[in-house]
Amino acid sequence: MAESQLASLVSRFRGCLIGALVGDCFGEPFQFIKSVQLKSVKELVHNLEADESKGDTKILLYTDDTEMRLSIEASLLKHKGFNAEDMANRFAKEYFANRNKRAYGGHVTKIFSAWSSKYMVDFFLPATLQFNGAGSYGNGGGMRIAPVALFMYKENSHKLKEISDKITRLTHTHELAILGAYLQALAVHLALNTAESPFPTDKFLQELTESMIYHEEETFGKCSQNPPSDSLKLYSQKLNAIKEFLARSDVEKEELVETLGNDVSAFGSIPISIYSFLRALTEINGLEGRNPYERTIMYAISLGGDTDTIAIMAGAIAGAYWGEEAIPQKWQQNCEGLSVTQKHADDLYDYVKTH
């Protein structure tokens, strides 16, 4: 697909969820490897693309990130909105059915166990008790939030935040996790609603930054938690850093990771996912001949750390803008869960079209 050609809306819905799926499946083999090299990512991709076998094609498995995303999609579609009990039960059911297959974090599995009690009434309660009542600031909300941006396609950012917050609070109650998931949802929502080509990077960053400044001031002025002592743990500051990095041609991976992060925290992974999408809008050394979606995934993984989640979030944004056509068929076909992802994307599109 030509970079100047904008995809249709249904293609963008599909591109967003398939884009996230590919990021998960391609990123998982590199998760937490001490030093990920771009050449290693290219080697994996080349081997998949060169495989001409039919029945024995290697299928890359998705992780807990995608498993929870699929549950969100199914629950939103069934209830035509957020239903805490149904969504929690879906999360727990999938975990207990596949606990040895997916790489769930230890803290979230304790929440699933608590939900399994027949006396459970408040499905938000178990998450609020974690980390001495502070709640988790991990990236579990951001990794699964993309379908919310699709479901809320016609709605404004305030309504988007309302449902994003509720879904995140089921497992992550620290304000940085909640704000981070909303930032990721907003990034996907803006990309999905962008009809300009080339992509308006400055406008995109300005809208993200203004929204985060507003909500950071509102959040840290009202909540009982103290704001982070390190200003770079504020998302608005990291978005400013992204703008500065994009204006430079000499940014090393070490500087990026030190400033934006690449770990399992929300504030240490969501900003670098957004940066990966924006950086891949232009050519990247070593990725010549690749389109912007392909560059997004391969570059995001090359930054190391929590590679599957970072690539999921970057891939969701890129797919929401570039559409399904930008994702190579060979990439898609090598991912577990492709058919159900396609169906959920189509169902979400049909829902939005009729509501």
Side-chain angles (χ1 to χ4, degrees):
M1 184 182 72
E3 295 186 17
S4 59
Q5 179 184 346
L6 290 176
S8 67
L9 185 59
V10 65
S11 172
R12 289 179 175 215
F13 269 58
R14 279 189 158 217
C16 177
L17 299 189
I18 297 171
L21 174 68
V22 170
D24 190 13
C25 293
F26 279 48
E28 192 279 333
F30 299 95
Q31 191 174 29
F32 301 120
I33 291 177
K34 187 174 182 180
S35 180
V36 178
Q37 301 297 321
L38 182 58
K39 65 179 181 180
S40 299
V41 182
K42 291 167 63 177
E43 182 178 352
L44 170 79
V45 172
H46 174 75
N47 289 340
L48 290 174
E49 292 175 335
D51 186 359
E52 296 298 334
S53 62
K54 300 297 182 184
D56 59 346
T57 298
K58 180 179 179 181
I59 296 296
L60 298 173
L61 302 182
Y62 61 70
T63 73
D64 58 315
D65 300 27
T66 294
E67 190 157 84
M68 295 186 78
R69 191 211 82 214
L70 291 170
S71 291
I72 288 175
E73 293 155 11
S75 185
L76 288 174
L77 287 164
K78 179 179 179 179
H79 292 279
K80 297 180 173 55
F82 174 71
N83 181 292
E85 181 176 359
D86 180 73
M87 196 169 289
N89 285 334
R90 288 175 186 272
F91 286 161
K93 180 181 178 180
E94 291 300 324
Y95 165 67
F96 288 114
N98 300 293
R99 69 174 81 187
N100 296 321
K101 189 176 180 182
R102 316 297 179 196
Y104 282 90
H107 292 288
V108 76
T109 62
K110 295 177 181 177
I111 294 174
F112 296 157
S113 295
W115 286 342
S116 300
S117 169
K118 63 180 179 180
Y119 302 107
M120 177 57 57
V121 176
D122 183 358
F123 287 88
F124 292 98
L125 180 61
T128 68
L129 302 177
Q130 292 201 324
F131 299 96
N132 297 318
S136 171
Y137 54 69
N139 56 22
M143 74 185 189
R144 64 184 192 241
I145 209 67
V148 175
L150 307 187
F151 186 78
M152 302 297 284
Y153 168 71
K154 294 180 179 178
E155 305 295 342
N156 61 39
S157 61
H158 292 289
K159 290 184 178 180
L160 175 70
K161 188 174 189 300
E162 182 180 345
I163 191 169
S164 172
D165 288 1
K166 289 176 180 178
I167 291 174
T168 303
R169 285 185 184 279
L170 281 172
T171 56
H172 295 70
T173 61
H174 195 289
E175 295 297 342
L176 287 173
I178 295 164
L179 283 170
Y182 165 64
L183 173 60
Q184 171 65 15
L186 182 60
V188 174
H189 195 260
L190 290 176
L192 191 67
N193 280 276
T194 296
E196 300 171 55
S197 180
F199 187 81
T201 298
D202 289 343
K203 178 182 175 183
F204 176 75
L205 281 174
Q206 182 178 353
E207 291 190 47
L208 292 179
T209 304
E210 289 177 354
S211 184
M212 295 314 294
I213 288 173
Y214 173 81
H215 289 294
E216 284 168 350
E217 290 177 350
E218 183 180 55
T219 297
F220 296 124
K222 292 181 179 179
C223 74
S224 59
Q225 299 173 30
N226 292 322
S229 57
D230 180 355
S231 64
L232 279 178
K233 288 182 180 177
L234 289 174
Y235 292 102
S236 56
Q237 295 295 319
K238 290 205 173 191
L239 289 166
N240 286 332
I242 287 173
K243 185 175 182 179
E244 293 175 4
F245 284 142
L246 290 171
R248 291 169 46 190
S249 59
D250 61 344
V251 185
E252 297 293 334
K253 179 165 71 173
E254 291 73 20
E255 185 180 3
L256 279 173
V257 171
E258 182 179 357
T259 304
L260 301 179
N262 67 354
D263 56 44
V264 299
S265 68
F267 53 81
S269 56
I270 292 167
I272 207 164
S273 300
I274 293 171
Y275 174 80
S276 296
F277 161 66
L278 295 174
R279 176 62 187 87
L281 292 173
T282 56
E283 293 290 343
I284 294 175
N285 289 337
L287 295 178
E288 293 81 5
R290 294 289 179 177
N291 71 35
Y293 174 82
E294 296 170 81
R295 293 197 295 261
T296 297
I297 295 298
M298 297 172 75
Y299 179 73
I301 295 171
S302 77
L303 296 174
D306 194 6
T307 49
D308 59 333
T309 301
I310 291 170
I312 280 172
M313 296 188 291
I317 303 169
Y321 181 69
W322 295 110
E324 178 186 20
E325 295 88 348
I327 309 172
Q329 283 296 312
K330 203 80 170 184
W331 290 27
Q332 298 186 40
Q333 293 163 1
N334 275 280
C335 293
E336 177 195 17
L338 176 62
S339 61
V340 66
T341 293
Q342 291 171 326
K343 184 180 186 306
H344 282 185
D346 291 343
D347 289 345
L348 284 166
Y349 174 75
D350 289 341
Y351 172 84
V352 167
K353 190 170 61 173
T354 56
H355 286 79

